[in-house]
């Protein structure tokens, strides 16, 4: 028994009541030692350190790095000595957490110029090329690229988003779609309606969509765009949803519009949802414009 | 390849330089602090604090002990590479633009911008045994963007905004040669890079082309055409490749989403003048390019403040045209 007792590590049981407030910094011996799990066959190295954070909690910090051999370098003796130089200047304050130097997550290729006439290489159909098996599948909603980054980290954040958005814009029949040029020239004119704005492009895409416009009536008071979107998206991609809202009360005025990308989806939606019970009311779903042929 | 991104600078990069052994990379930017990195993994070694203005150019001595930097704060400073201490400062009346060590690292050629009535100058100073003035050349109109030593320190080659390349005698300051106006560049020459043996050099210009010249006779050897103004150029020390990086026409600035990482460094075959390919990734115009002296990696610095270090894939070395 005695032998085993003496082999126990130094961290004897401390009576925390006897500890001074200021002793926070000296408690490092309470922390387990740093563990480095060396590079395994994938080159993943894990460093597990323990430290106390500002509130005195014991914190376990696991740093996972991938060690990759880039290639053999014939290094001169001077270069090897320089490797051991001390850091100076602004590099003195650097700690392990600083992410100044990072290996790119993207594989960048020296892209050969395509001779005219040659076809582009077909992209991997499932879009998962390059993702390691077992890695978390990161899907970005903006650019649709899987396995690379999450939506909030998308480098294409501000570019035109794909058609599945709920933008609060009136479709055709209702709303202030009439040109505000009638009368007041001093009131605000949105850029899309100003003179010289690029009309034809937006009109063409909007017109096609407006032929797929579905009017939904007898909506309950608290129905909003997201609800309609959720209800209708099962039939196909939706380009726009709109719910008419009474500005004074904030309640829905009981009707709204859903624009589908494809006419067939709109048709199916009408057939299925007309008469559908939704939030204590029976929906009426029909074509928005008089039946387009 | 998986480029290593080094985000140490907060302002656009202006210049990149490898030391002779290729294990250190020096970067200059408009943020007043030249930085030195390890060239194999991109870890930062240190920064040189002391300048008060954008640092335009730098050069490192052959033994990697001395660094010289030229800055818009009208000084050229000599630093100890290892510790970051400033050893000496040359003062001028106008921003210093380009610096270059001579072979033997005893002399340095510095150019200063035209500023407040002073014309642009090319100055030769000696570093060892003690700093002193040797030569001042005045003459070219407009800013001289780059001046380098010719082969064997006999000549100084300068190029600048007036789109003319000039070769000067380094002892007397006499103008020896000028590039031909018709076949030469038509717009400002933004960058100049000597080959490893100094027998030929590459110039990049705002006229969307880069040209290869012979150092002794100043004959035009090759022309490489890009679709954008050229800001930086470099010659590979290993293969017959050149790389040019550029910016963007001012007209197109509002139409491009700069976050898309579309700015690329273009590789051309040095002799065939054909495009080999492009390496994308920068979020802004590329301002600096440098090849590692072993030719197996290169780095690019952009307007976005990032330095990207690329180690070539094995396929690069077997490219056939």
């Amino acid at each position: 028994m005695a032998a085993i007792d003496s082999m126990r590590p130094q961290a004897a049981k401390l009576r925390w009541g006897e500890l001074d407030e200021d002793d926070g910094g000296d408690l490092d011996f309470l922390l387990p030692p740093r563990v480095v799990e060396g590079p395994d066959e994938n080159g993943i190295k894990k460093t597990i350190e323990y430290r106390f954070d500002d509130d005195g909690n014991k914190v376990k910090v696991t740093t996972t790095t991938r060690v990759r051999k880039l290639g053999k370098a014939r290094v001169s003796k001077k270069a090897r000595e320089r490797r051991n130089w001390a850091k100076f200047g602004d590099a003195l304050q650097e700690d392990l957490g600083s992410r100044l130097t990072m290996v790119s997550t993207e594989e960048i290729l020296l892209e050969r110029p395509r001779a005219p006439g040659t076809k582009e290489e077909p992209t991997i159909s499932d879009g998962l090329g390059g993702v390691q098996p077992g890695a978390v599948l990161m899907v970005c909603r903006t650019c649709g690229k899987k396995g690379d980054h999450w939506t909030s980290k998308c480098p294409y954040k501000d570019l035109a988003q794909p058609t599945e958005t709920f933008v609060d814009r009136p479709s055709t029949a209702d709303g202030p779609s009439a040109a505000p040029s009638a009368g007041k020239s001093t009131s605000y004119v949105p850029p899309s309606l100003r003179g010289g704005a690029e009309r034809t492009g937006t009109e063409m895409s909007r017109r096609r969509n407006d032929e797929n416009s579905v009017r939904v009536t007898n909506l309950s008071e608290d129905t909003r765009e997201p609800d309609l979107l959720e209800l209708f998206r099962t039939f196909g991609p939706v380009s726009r949803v709109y719910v008419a809202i009474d500005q004074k009360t904030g309640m829905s005025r009981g009707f709204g519009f859903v624009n589908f990308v494809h006419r067939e989806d709109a048709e199916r939606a009408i057939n299925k949802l007309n008469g559908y019970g939704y939030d204590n009311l029976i929906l009426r779903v029909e074509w928005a414009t008089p039946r387009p042929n | 390849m998986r480029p290593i991104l080094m985000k140490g600078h907060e302002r656009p990069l202006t210049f990149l330089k490898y030391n002779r052994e290729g294990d250190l990379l020096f970067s200059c930017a408009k943020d007043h602090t030249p930085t030195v990195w390890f060239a194999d993994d991109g870890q930062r070694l240190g920064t040189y604090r002391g300048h008060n203005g954008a640092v335009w150019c730098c050069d490192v001595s052959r033994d990697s002990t001395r660094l010289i930097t030229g800055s818009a704060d009208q000084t050229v400073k000599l630093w100890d590479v290892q510790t970051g201490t400033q050893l000496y400062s040359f003062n001028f009346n106008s921003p210093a633009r380009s610096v270059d060590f001579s072979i033997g690292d005893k002399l340095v050629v510095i150019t200063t911008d035209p500023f407040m009535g002073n014309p642009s100058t090319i100055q030769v100073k000696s570093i060892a045994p003690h700093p002193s003035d040797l030569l001042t050349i005045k003459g070219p109109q407009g800013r001289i963007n780059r001046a380098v030593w010719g082969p064997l320190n006999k000549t100084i080659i300068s190029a600048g905004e007036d789109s003319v390349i000039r070769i000067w005698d380094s002892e007397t300051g006499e103008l020896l040669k000028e590039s031909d106006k018709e076949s030469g560049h038509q717009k400002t020459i933004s960058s100049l890079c000597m080959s490893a043996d100094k027998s030929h050099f590459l110039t990049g210009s705002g006229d969307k082309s880069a040209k290869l010249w012979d150092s002794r006779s100043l004959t035009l050897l090759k022309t490489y055409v890009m679709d954008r103004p050229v800001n930086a150029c470099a010659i590979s020390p290993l293969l017959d490749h050149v790389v040019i990086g550029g910016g963007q026409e001012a007209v197109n600035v509002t139409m491009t989403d700069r976050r898309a990482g579309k700015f690329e460094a273009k590789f051309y075959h040095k002799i065939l003048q054909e495009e080999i390919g492009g390496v994308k990734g920068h979020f802004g115009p590329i301002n600096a390019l440098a090849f590692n002296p072993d030719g197996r990696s290169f780095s690019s610095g952009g307007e976005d403040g990032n330095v990207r270090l690329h180690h070539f894939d094995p396929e690069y070395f077997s490219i056939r045209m």
Side-chain angles (χ1 to χ4, degrees):
Chain A
M1 283 299 177
I4 297 172
D5 276 349
S6 64
M7 283 199 307
R8 217 183 278 157
Q10 293 292 70
K13 218 164 143 199
L14 261 188
R15 307 269 290 272
W16 60 264
E18 291 166 15
L19 278 179
D20 246 331
E21 288 290 309
D22 302 334
D23 256 0
D26 296 329
L27 290 176
D28 285 347
F29 58 87
L30 278 181
L31 298 171
R34 184 204 320 188
V35 171
V36 177
E37 286 163 30
D40 60 10
E41 64 274 2
N42 286 333
I44 311 269
K45 182 168 92 166
K46 274 212 184 98
T47 308
I48 304 177
E49 301 169 289
Y50 294 86
R51 58 182 178 84
F52 285 105
D53 67 5
D54 296 324
D55 301 321
N57 300 322
K58 211 195 285 188
V59 168
K60 175 182 176 184
V61 178
T62 310
T63 315
T64 311
T65 46
R66 178 142 56 135
V67 176
R68 207 168 72 110
K69 209 166 105 160
L70 284 173
K72 270 201 290 202
R74 285 196 316 242
V75 181
S76 74
K77 193 171 86 165
K78 285 269 175 64
R80 222 174 302 138
E81 286 168 27
R82 284 193 279 266
R83 244 311 172 176
N84 298 325
W85 279 359
K87 304 224 167 173
F88 58 91
D90 293 334
L92 271 176
Q93 299 113 342
E94 241 176 71
D95 52 332
L96 273 174
S98 82
R99 317 247 265 126
L100 230 54
T101 302
M102 292 183 283
V103 180
S104 163
T105 45
E106 261 182 83
E107 180 87 13
I108 304 273
L109 300 170
L110 179 64
E111 292 163 17
R112 310 295 300 265
R114 267 187 302 280
T118 56
K119 268 199 304 192
E120 219 178 292
E121 296 254 333
T123 51
I124 300 173
S125 54
D126 64 351
L128 288 180
V131 177
Q132 301 245 350
V136 170
L137 191 65
M138 296 189 278
V139 182
C140 167
R141 286 191 287 267
T142 313
C143 58
K145 237 190 337 174
K146 297 198 179 103
D148 187 62
H149 53 266
W150 293 108
T151 311
S152 57
K153 296 277 182 278
C154 182
Y156 305 93
K157 240 192 288 222
D158 276 353
L159 292 183
Q161 310 218 321
T163 52
E164 285 209 46
T165 56
F166 18 107
V167 178
D168 191 11
R169 259 190 298 167
S171 51
T172 46
D174 254 358
S177 57
S181 57
K184 315 177 243 170
S185 55
T186 51
S187 69
Y188 172 70
V189 179
S192 55
L193 293 172
R194 279 180 207 158
E198 198 218 26
R199 301 287 201 105
T200 50
T202 52
E203 267 186 12
M204 208 171 67
S205 53
R206 219 181 279 175
R207 203 179 336 126
R208 259 202 234 121
N209 265 309
D210 290 347
E211 287 180 349
N212 310 336
S213 183
V214 173
R215 173 169 48 232
V216 191
T217 11
N218 207 24
L219 291 175
S220 63
E221 281 174 342
D222 42 25
T223 306
R224 294 289 175 273
E225 276 93 0
D227 309 317
L228 278 195
L229 177 68
E230 209 183 306
L231 183 62
F232 282 87
R233 70 194 291 177
T234 47
F235 297 95
V238 174
S239 63
R240 230 170 30 234
V241 285
Y242 171 71
V243 173
I245 302 202
D246 186 338
Q247 297 301 332
K248 288 205 201 83
T249 67
M251 305 285 206
S252 153
R253 281 168 62 189
F255 66 94
F257 294 89
V258 179
N259 278 37
F260 282 94
V261 173
H262 304 294
R263 257 195 71 85
E264 310 81 49
D265 300 335
E267 192 152 347
R268 282 188 300 129
I270 292 174
N271 294 337
K272 282 277 168 69
L273 291 181
N274 194 17
Y276 181 70
Y278 187 69
D279 195 19
N280 84 339
L281 293 177
I282 309 276
L283 291 182
R284 197 169 105 210
V285 184
E286 58 202 343
W287 292 109
T289 49
R291 213 31 114 77
N293 292 328
Chain B
M1 24 186 186
R2 292 283 176 121
I4 301 173
L5 295 81
M6 288 122 81
K7 299 190 185 208
H9 289 287
E10 288 144 25
R11 305 274 318 279
L13 268 285
T14 51
F15 199 72
L16 286 171
K17 180 90 191 177
Y18 280 90
N19 68 340
R20 184 172 170 269
E21 270 104 16
D23 63 306
L24 296 177
L25 174 63
F26 295 86
S27 61
C28 308
K30 291 186 182 172
D31 68 352
H32 314 189
T33 337
T35 309
V36 61
W37 316 76
F38 287 112
D40 48 7
D41 60 2
Q43 287 296 318
R44 185 167 70 165
L45 171 57
T47 63
Y48 301 91
R49 293 194 278 213
H51 273 301
N52 272 330
V55 183
W56 292 116
C57 191
C58 69
D59 197 7
V60 60
S61 63
R62 197 174 197 259
D63 55 6
S64 304
T65 57
R66 297 283 177 265
L67 174 74
I68 190 144
T69 54
S71 160
D73 67 355
Q74 307 182 357
T75 65
V76 165
K77 292 191 192 295
L78 187 67
W79 312 80
D80 178 61
V81 169
Q82 182 174 1
T83 59
T85 42
Q86 184 187 321
L87 298 171
Y88 190 77
S89 177
F90 292 97
N91 293 316
F92 300 94
N93 297 330
S94 36
R97 176 75 44 168
S98 159
V99 292
D100 193 44
F101 272 121
S102 65
I103 300 176
D105 302 328
K106 289 210 170 60
L107 309 174
V108 60
V109 64
I110 299 165
T111 64
T112 58
D113 290 347
F115 187 71
M116 302 255 279
N118 299 331
S120 55
T121 66
I122 303 172
Q123 305 195 23
V124 177
K125 309 254 185 213
S126 84
I127 305 275
H130 50 263
S132 62
D133 291 349
L134 285 184
L135 180 66
T136 303
I137 304 172
K138 290 185 200 175
Q141 301 299 311
R143 206 167 73 190
I144 305 171
N145 280 329
R146 195 96 172 93
V148 295
W149 291 94
L152 298 182
N153 295 344
K154 290 219 176 83
T155 54
I156 293 171
I157 305 174
S158 75
E161 273 188 342
D162 58 1
S163 63
V164 174
I165 304 170
R166 293 188 176 83
I167 299 191
W168 313 81
D169 182 295
S170 55
E171 295 202 5
T172 62
E174 184 198 334
L175 176 62
L176 298 173
K177 284 194 175 42
E178 265 188 11
S179 65
D180 183 36
K181 279 235 172 1
E182 265 93 62
S183 61
H185 284 296
Q186 305 304 313
K187 287 204 182 146
T188 171
I189 300 178
S190 56
S191 51
L192 192 157
C193 174
M194 296 289 281
S195 69
D197 61 354
K198 296 210 180 227
S199 62
H200 50 284
F201 63 94
L202 181 66
T203 54
S205 161
D207 66 1
K208 306 192 194 167
S209 73
K211 289 183 193 280
L212 194 71
W213 310 80
D214 177 274
S215 312
R216 290 179 183 88
S217 59
L218 203 50
T219 32
L220 174 60
L221 300 169
K222 299 284 175 193
T223 305
Y224 314 93
V225 179
M226 266 242 297
D227 57 350
R228 42 186 73 201
V230 177
N231 288 347
C233 54
I235 306 181
S236 166
L238 185 64
L239 301 176
D240 282 330
H241 294 167
V242 297
V243 61
I244 13 190
Q248 189 171 31
E249 293 256 57
V251 182
N252 294 331
V253 164
T254 52
M255 300 207 284
T256 308
D257 186 2
R258 60 174 189 85
R259 267 164 293 196
K262 291 230 169 75
F263 290 88
E264 55 177 350
K266 284 231 171 116
F267 282 78
Y268 289 78
H269 195 275
K270 185 161 74 176
I271 300 171
L272 303 175
Q273 293 178 157
E274 275 167 32
E275 187 186 326
I276 298 175
V279 174
K280 288 199 163 89
H282 273 286
F283 298 110
I286 295 178
N287 288 340
L289 283 168
F291 267 102
N292 189 308
D294 68 6
R296 300 189 173 274
S297 58
F298 84 101
S299 51
S300 55
E303 190 79 10
D304 49 10
N306 293 339
V307 179
R308 292 170 74 89
L309 176 62
H310 309 78
H311 288 272
F312 290 117
D313 291 332
E315 295 82 53
Y316 168 79
F317 301 100
S318 45
I319 289 179
R320 297 271 169 269
M321 298 295 289

